[in-house]
Amino acid sequence: MNIQSKPETYITKKGVPAKRITFEWTEEKIALAAKMWAEGFTCPAIAERLGVARGSVSAVASKHRHRFPSRLNTGRKSEDGRHVEVPEYWLKQAAGLWMGGANANKIAEVTGVKPSTAYTRIATRPDLFPEHRLPEPVRSVRNETNLGDNIVIHHVKRTYVTGEVHTMPRVSMLCGEGR
């Protein structure tokens, strides 16, 4: 289905006459585009089916906003008024990642949303996203070996979050008494 088009002559910035084709958006065609929009078609899909440019559909949608409502998550509250409405599939995937130890940035990357959106969704659902507990701090145990002549080797054991224990020597040379 093609929308009726008519050639139009205009003068460019350089003063050269040029032709362009403009499209006549009738009430019937606007209603058809609005119906397709309500069914979930994107601007490029509507444009392809109607035989017009994507920008033309976008302009009509902008001009007739009451017929082309926004499809973005506007932060509407759920029926009980406690939570922001979020797609159920996203909540399931994100909650699984969260329980696996992923942070909000990782969840945003995996699920394809902006980090700020992931943060907001996580913050509004403490029932699904309990607070992460940080691991206990890394502990170090010091043993000393005195080699005399003011040379001391400290054997420092470090326990990492993964549970691995590494011993690292640290040599200290003491200079004089009282320092």
Side-chain angles (χ1 to χ4, degrees):
M1 167 187 223
N2 284 329
I3 294 178
Q4 296 173 349
S5 61
K6 62 179 183 178
E8 176 184 300
T9 304
Y10 69 102
I11 306 296
T12 65
K13 289 181 181 178
K14 295 183 179 179
V16 179
K19 290 186 179 181
R20 67 177 162 206
I21 296 175
T22 59
F23 298 98
E24 297 281 331
W25 281 90
T26 64
E27 183 60 35
E28 172 188 308
K29 294 186 174 124
I30 294 171
L32 178 61
K35 180 182 175 205
M36 292 171 73
W37 180 271
E39 291 172 359
F41 285 91
T42 62
C43 279
I46 295 170
E48 184 179 327
R49 294 205 178 188
L50 296 179
V52 298
R54 185 202 63 81
S56 178
V57 175
S58 182
V60 167
S62 179
K63 185 176 181 181
H64 299 277
R65 184 45 71 196
H66 62 284
R67 297 169 105 180
F68 295 83
S70 175
R71 291 185 248 179
L72 297 176
N73 182 1
T74 59
R76 295 183 307 256
K77 296 281 184 179
S78 61
E79 291 178 9
D80 60 6
R82 293 186 340 191
H83 307 298
V84 173
E85 289 182 4
V86 178
E88 195 65 33
Y89 70 89
W90 189 91
L91 286 173
K92 286 181 182 175
Q93 184 181 14
L97 291 167
W98 183 263
M99 294 313 236
N103 62 18
N105 281 333
K106 183 66 177 173
I107 291 171
E109 181 183 319
V110 171
T111 59
V113 299
K114 293 180 186 176
S116 60
T117 302
Y119 279 108
T120 303
R121 290 176 176 180
I122 289 168
T124 58
R125 295 300 301 264
D127 56 322
L128 294 176
F129 303 97
E131 195 172 316
H132 275 162
R133 299 239 181 245
L134 295 175
E136 293 199 21
V138 175
R139 295 186 192 105
S140 61
V141 178
R142 297 175 72 161
N143 294 325
E144 294 181 3
T145 303
N146 193 343
L147 298 177
D149 295 330
N150 296 327
I151 298 175
V152 178
I153 298 177
H154 301 278
H155 301 283
V156 181
K157 289 186 177 182
R158 296 204 183 263
T159 305
Y160 292 90
V161 175
T162 59
E164 297 176 37
V165 178
H166 294 270
T167 303
M168 301 166 32
R170 190 174 295 163
V171 178
S172 298
M173 299 177 83
L174 305 174
C175 300
E177 296 289 325
R179 280 195 180 193

